[in-house]
Amino acid sequence: MSGVVSDCVSDFAPVLALHGGAGTLRRAAMTPAREAAYHAGLMAALNAGRVVLQAGGTALDAVTASVMALEDDPLFNAGRGAVLTSAGTQEMDAAIMDGTDRRAGAVAGLFGPRNPILAARAVMEQTDHVLLIGAGGEAFCRDIGLEFMPPDYFLTQARQESLARELERRASGAADDGDAARKHGTVGAVALDCRGHLAAATSTGGMTAKLPGRVGDSPVIGAGTFADDATCAVSATGHGEFFIRYAVAHEISARMRWAGQSLKKASEGIVAELAPLGGSGGLVAVDRTGAISLPFNSEGMYRAWMDASGALHTAIF
Ligand code: ASP
């Protein structure tokens, strides 16, 4: 499919990349039907952002649209289908950043708004703050009229089973088998628009059986989410504690800015460095020239991208 840009005054061919988390099902557990469902969900989310970009819309609107589509899809760990805490609750984190001026908004420990990414965006656009949490964040969302959904909208049987398996494993004292699908997820998107602006957005239920109150990397600007027109836009997925400690998203931007590294070298470098530390995961990134990088050190990462020619791709392993 080729990109038709209607309303653009510059020479930038729009680019979009997204992920549905590094917690892919193991190959052995992946049936053709499941695989097809994941590809369809990824393509739907890619198209949601693609139409925005190809109509001359902003990177910010494109990443919002793609992440909303993934939040609404119960296959992915964000919004509907978010994973459960050790107490069986759902606590969602999300962030968005505009590379134009480094405005950013984020929410953490939120439950109720249908699309946490819209809550993050509202924090960015309608408050003087960057990060709102818990009850205060939820009250803000109600005040501005964001759509809320009842608890059963968010809860899926698959997530309940994952929590039960993880709690059983812990109770039995069995070693962690490293099955990313049981623990991980997250969705995110990065884009370059036709005016040369970058944006990033990330949304997650976090990690299965996390302690209530735990916040991951997704809503931490510079860890799981970052965008700066001078360098790149990044959205990460994986073991969030490592992505926070290594400030992964900002680290990529810093290596590009200060060490003159390419997007590919910077992003593949940090993802490879995390692997031996136990920091499983990956990320999607785009730079100001439209280069795309999708590195991961896990068995797979649900991902999709539209390159500068307008061609659309989805991949899992
Ligand atoms: N990074 C997310 C978190 O730690 C989880 C994931 O992407 O799998 O909350």
Side-chain angles (χ1 to χ4, degrees), residues 143-165:
D143 286 350
I144 61 164
L146 273 193
E147 184 180 7
F148 274 61
M149 297 302 270
D152 62 353
Y153 167 82
F154 296 101
L155 195 60
T156 67
Q157 200 185 337
R159 299 305 185 196
Q160 286 173 301
E161 287 167 6
S162 295
L163 175 64
R165 281 199 301 276

Side-chain angles (χ1 to χ4, degrees), residues 21-23 77 93 183-186 204-207 214-218 236-241:
N77 172 20
D93 302 337
K183 297 184 293 186
H184 286 332
T186 288
T204 189
M207 292 176 73
R214 177 265 190 187
V215 174
D217 59 312
S218 308
T237 170
H239 196 145
E241 280 70 11

Side-chain angles (χ1 to χ4, degrees), residues 165-216:
R165 281 199 301 276
E166 176 61 9
L167 293 180
E168 262 167 44
R169 181 194 69 77
R170 290 181 185 179
S172 74
D176 186 349
D177 64 359
D179 183 358
R182 200 186 57 244
K183 297 184 293 186
H184 286 332
T186 288
V187 309
V190 290
L192 170 72
D193 65 30
C194 64
R195 292 169 196 81
H197 294 309
L198 295 168
T202 312
S203 180
T204 189
M207 292 176 73
T208 299
K210 66 183 181 182
L211 280 178
R214 177 265 190 187
V215 174

Side-chain angles (χ1 to χ4, degrees), residues 67-184:
V67 168
M68 284 177 71
L70 291 163
E71 287 177 335
D72 288 347
D73 187 334
L75 282 179
F76 300 101
N77 172 20
R80 187 177 202 185
V83 300
L84 304 179
T85 68
S86 58
T89 54
Q90 287 166 304
E91 298 181 355
M92 303 182 200
D93 302 337
I96 192 161
M97 188 161 184
D98 187 346
T100 312
D101 49 11
R102 288 217 201 181
R103 282 185 314 154
V107 288
L110 214 64
F111 181 69
R114 172 176 173 165
N115 293 108
I117 199 64
L118 292 182
R121 185 156 173 179
V123 171
M124 178 175 85
E125 292 178 336
Q126 299 182 42
T127 77
D128 293 332
H129 309 305
V130 169
L131 175 57
L132 288 185
I133 64 165
E138 286 162 19
F140 164 73
C141 292
R142 284 195 195 281
D143 286 350
I144 61 164
L146 273 193
E147 184 180 7
F148 274 61
M149 297 302 270
D152 62 353
Y153 167 82
F154 296 101
L155 195 60
T156 67
Q157 200 185 337
R159 299 305 185 196
Q160 286 173 301
E161 287 167 6
S162 295
L163 175 64
R165 281 199 301 276
E166 176 61 9
L167 293 180
E168 262 167 44
R169 181 194 69 77
R170 290 181 185 179
S172 74
D176 186 349
D177 64 359
D179 183 358
R182 200 186 57 244
K183 297 184 293 186
H184 286 332

